[in-house]
Amino acid sequence: MVETPSAPRLHGHVDVVTPMLIAGWVRDQADPTRRLELHLIQDGAVRAVVKADMMRPELAVAGFGDGAHGFEFQAQSPDQPLAPGPAAIRDALHGAVIPEGTFIIPGEASAAVAPAPLAPRRAPEPQLQGLVDQVSAGLISGWVRDQVEPSARLELHLLQDGQLIAAAIADEPRADLVQAGLGDGSFGFTLHDLLPEQPWKPGAASIHDARTGAVIPGGSVILPVQGGAAAVFEWPALGSAPGMPSEPPPPEPVVAEVAPSTHAPAEDAAPPSTPEPPPAEAAPPPPVPAEDTAPPSAPEPPATEAAPPQPAPVEDTAPPSAPEPPATEAAPPPPVPAEDTALPSAPEPPPAEAAPPPPVPAEDTALPNAPEPPPAAVPAPEPPASVAIPKDALRQLLPAESALKTFAIELAMQAYDAPEQPPAAGAFSPADAAAYFAMVRRYRPRQVIEFGSGDGTPFALAALQANGQGRLLQVADVASPLPEVEHLAEPVTAITGAWLAGRVTTGDMVVVNPGLCAAAALDILQRLLPACAAGLHVHLHGLPLLTGEFPPGQHGMDAHALMQALIGNRRISVLYATEWHAAHNPAGLDALMRGRPAGGGGSLWLLHRPER
C-alpha cells in the first residue's frame, strides 16, 4: 500500500449559499491543526480568498479540535452581491474541492439556496466495498460504495506523491451491480488524465475516499508508462454464477391487444340473440288458437286481419303449416301475384345494368384503384404504434438525478469562455453548442472525430484552441468550409472498427452529428465503438429521453432501435442530456448558457467504457 501522509482528508459542510453570503466549515482530518486557505472559483479564476479559522462552538462540542474551522465568503456590499452562476470552493494547498463545494450562486435573494446547517456529528467509520477493474496510462475504472451509507456517491481522489492528479464521483450506473443486488448499481467510477500536457507519471498511485482519505479496495495501483498495456482485472461475477448474463434483455415494447377484446364481446352479444327463437318455437304448441299464433306475426298485422274471413281454410292449413310460415303465405293470396310479378321483374335489372355500361366500368375502375391505398397505408399506421419505449426502460438509461445535476455544474464551470451561440437554425441548438464546447474544455481530448457535418463544429474547434491542443477529423461526404477541420470523404459503412480503434486513445471523442441518420448512428454504436479498447466520450442527438415516443416511418424505427441498443448496455453511461436539463434542471441549463436563450436541444453525451 502506498502511504500518502500529506494527502488531504477533508471533512466539512457548506451551510448557506446566497448572493450575499456563502458559509460553512471544513477541516483536514489528516492535519487537524491546519487552518485551510480556501479559494472561491468562478469562470476559472479565483474570485475570493478566506481562511477557515472562524470559531464554531458546535464543532468543538462534536470533538473537532478547538472548533475553529468555520468560513464565510461575504459580498462587498448590498449593492455588490456575489456574482451569480456556478462556483466551487477549493483547498488552496491541494486544489481539492471541499465537501459540497460545487454549487450555483443564485441571482436573486428570493432564489437563494440556503440548505439547513447540519450539526457536525461523529459518523460511523465507512466500510468501503468495491473493485478496480482497469488501470491504464490515462484511465482507471472500477466501482466503490460505502456499506454504512449505501446511498452516498463517493468522491474519489487519485493521489501520486501526495498530489491530487484526478478526481471523480463514483455514480456511474453498472448493470452488474444491479444484478448483484447492490442498490441501483450507480457506484461505478472513471478517473481520467485531464491534463494531456501533464500526463500521469508511471509508478505508484492510490485512490482515496475524499471524505476520510481512506484508500478504496484495490485502490493502490501502479500507473503504466504512456502507450503501455492496460491492466484489466477479470473478477468473478458478483453474487451469482459465472454464467450470469452481462446485459439484461431489453424490455419488450407493449403491443396493444385491443382487436381480440373487441371481437370477443361481439361473439358474446350474438348468443343472446339466438336464444330468442326458442320462445317463437314454444308458441306453436298451442296451435288450436290460430288467433294466438297471429300475434307473434305482429310484423304483418294486416295479413292476420285478412285471415279471419276464411276460417275453414285457415284451420285446414294451420295444423300442417303451423310450425312454418306457409300459413302466412296462404293467408294473403292477393300478395302472391304481387310476389310473382316481382319475380319476373327481378331478371330485368341485369339488362338495366347492362344498359348503362358507363356506371359499370366506373365500379370496375374503382376496384383497380382500391388496391392502391393499401400500399400507401402500409408504412404508416401499424409500425408507429409499436415504436415506443416504456418509461421504466428509459429510467434505466439515466443515472441518478443528483449525478446529472452535479455534472451540469461541472460543465457550466467550463463554459465561461464559450463563444456566442447564434439562435437555433436547425436541430443543433445554442444549448447543444454550449455543452459541446464545455465537454471539449473539460476532458481536453487529443482528437475529436465527427461523423457527418453539423453546426457544432465551430464550437469544438474553439474549445480545442482554448485547450491549446487537439485535432478535429470529420468523416462526411462534403468537406467542412473551416480550414482547421481535417476531412475524410467516406461513408460510415466504409469505416472499419480496426480503423477507428487505431486512431483513438482514451479520452478522445466520437461525435455523431444530427445530420447523420439513426441507422448510421446505430452502426457506429454496435460495430465501430466495441472495437475500441479506449474509453471514449460519445455524442448522439435527437433521441426522446423523456417520452420514449418515436415518429412514424423508417427513421423512427431506426431511432427506436438505437435507443434500445443503449438501454442495458453496461459499457454506456449517460453524462449529460440537454432535453433532461431543460425539463428538470432549468437552473443548471441557465448556468451553462449564462443568461442566453437555450433554444431547446437534443444532445446526449455518453461515456463509452472499454470492454472489461
Side-chain angles (χ1 to χ4, degrees), residues 117-176:
L118 299 180
R121 54 186 173 83
R122 287 188 179 276
E125 289 296 322
Q127 298 181 17
L128 302 183
Q129 176 188 19
L131 295 171
V132 174
D133 299 327
Q134 176 180 346
V135 178
S136 68
L139 180 145
I140 301 174
S141 63
W143 66 274
V144 65
R145 67 192 286 263
D146 184 354
Q147 298 181 82
V148 174
E149 192 176 355
S151 61
R153 311 303 180 185
L154 305 186
E155 180 179 348
L156 304 180
H157 290 174
L158 178 63
L159 302 178
Q160 189 176 46
D161 298 333
Q163 299 297 316
L164 179 70
I165 60 174
I169 303 293
D171 60 1
E172 298 175 4
R174 290 186 40 155
D176 56 338

Side-chain angles (χ1 to χ4, degrees), residues 263-289:
H263 290 305
E267 294 175 0
D268 296 338
S273 61
T274 54
E276 295 178 2
E281 294 177 359
V288 178

Side-chain angles (χ1 to χ4, degrees), residues 6-450:
S6 60
R9 295 169 54 191
L10 303 183
H11 183 207
H13 187 265
V14 176
D15 300 329
V16 178
V17 177
T18 73
M20 304 304 298
L21 174 69
I22 301 172
W25 64 274
V26 64
R27 65 192 290 264
D28 184 356
Q29 297 180 90
D31 187 1
T33 61
R34 180 167 73 97
R35 310 302 182 185
L36 278 67
E37 180 178 320
L38 303 179
H39 288 178
L40 178 64
I41 309 295
Q42 282 188 295
D43 296 340
V46 178
R47 300 300 184 189
V49 179
V50 299
K51 190 175 287 279
D53 58 359
M54 298 179 64
M55 176 57 67
R56 294 278 296 259
E58 72 275 21
L59 298 182
V61 172
F64 295 154
D66 59 5
H69 302 292
F71 67 86
E72 289 183 355
F73 289 96
Q74 296 184 358
Q76 296 181 7
S77 69
D79 298 331
Q80 295 180 319
L82 299 171
I89 301 175
R90 294 182 181 273
D91 175 7
L93 180 60
H94 296 281
V97 176
I98 71 171
E100 302 180 17
T102 57
F103 45 82
I104 295 178
I105 302 175
E108 300 178 3
S110 59
V113 178
L118 299 180
R121 54 186 173 83
R122 287 188 179 276
E125 289 296 322
Q127 298 181 17
L128 302 183
Q129 176 188 19
L131 295 171
V132 174
D133 299 327
Q134 176 180 346
V135 178
S136 68
L139 180 145
I140 301 174
S141 63
W143 66 274
V144 65
R145 67 192 286 263
D146 184 354
Q147 298 181 82
V148 174
E149 192 176 355
S151 61
R153 311 303 180 185
L154 305 186
E155 180 179 348
L156 304 180
H157 290 174
L158 178 63
L159 302 178
Q160 189 176 46
D161 298 333
Q163 299 297 316
L164 179 70
I165 60 174
I169 303 293
D171 60 1
E172 298 175 4
R174 290 186 40 155
D176 56 338
L177 302 184
V178 175
Q179 293 171 356
L182 300 181
D184 61 3
S186 296
F187 303 109
F189 67 85
T190 305
L191 292 159
H192 291 283
D193 179 0
L194 301 181
L195 300 174
E197 67 275 10
Q198 297 178 1
W200 295 345
K201 297 183 301 182
S206 52
I207 306 171
H208 296 256
D209 178 359
R211 304 171 304 169
T212 65
V215 177
I216 71 170
S220 296
V221 298
I222 302 297
L223 301 180
V225 297
Q226 291 290 333
V232 179
F233 307 99
E234 296 293 340
W235 302 106
L238 296 170
S240 67
M244 181 179 66
S246 59
E247 298 184 12
E252 294 290 336
V254 179
V255 180
E257 298 181 354
V258 180
S261 59
T262 54
H263 290 305
E267 294 175 0
D268 296 338
S273 61
T274 54
E276 295 178 2
E281 294 177 359
V288 178
E291 297 177 359
D292 296 339
T293 57
S297 61
E300 297 178 354
T304 56
E305 291 175 3
Q310 297 176 349
V314 171
E315 290 176 4
D316 297 339
T317 56
S321 62
E324 297 184 2
T328 57
E329 294 178 0
V336 174
E339 293 176 2
D340 297 339
T341 56
L343 292 175
S345 62
E348 292 177 7
E353 294 177 1
V360 177
E363 295 176 1
D364 297 337
T365 54
L367 293 175
N369 291 340
E372 293 181 4
V378 166
E382 293 301 332
S386 61
V387 176
I389 292 181
K391 297 291 180 65
D392 291 343
L394 292 177
R395 283 192 287 270
Q396 295 178 19
L397 182 60
L398 292 173
E401 180 176 328
S402 59
L404 287 168
K405 290 184 176 181
T406 299
F407 189 83
I409 294 176
E410 294 179 12
L411 276 195
M413 295 180 67
Q414 300 295 332
Y416 63 91
D417 56 349
E420 186 75 21
Q421 295 91 6
F428 208 77
S429 71
D432 292 336
Y436 194 178
F437 177 90
M439 284 291 295
V440 176
R441 288 286 279 144
R442 184 183 192 279
Y443 289 107
R444 307 177 65 85
R446 296 174 176 85
Q447 182 172 220
V448 176
I449 298 180
E450 290 187 349

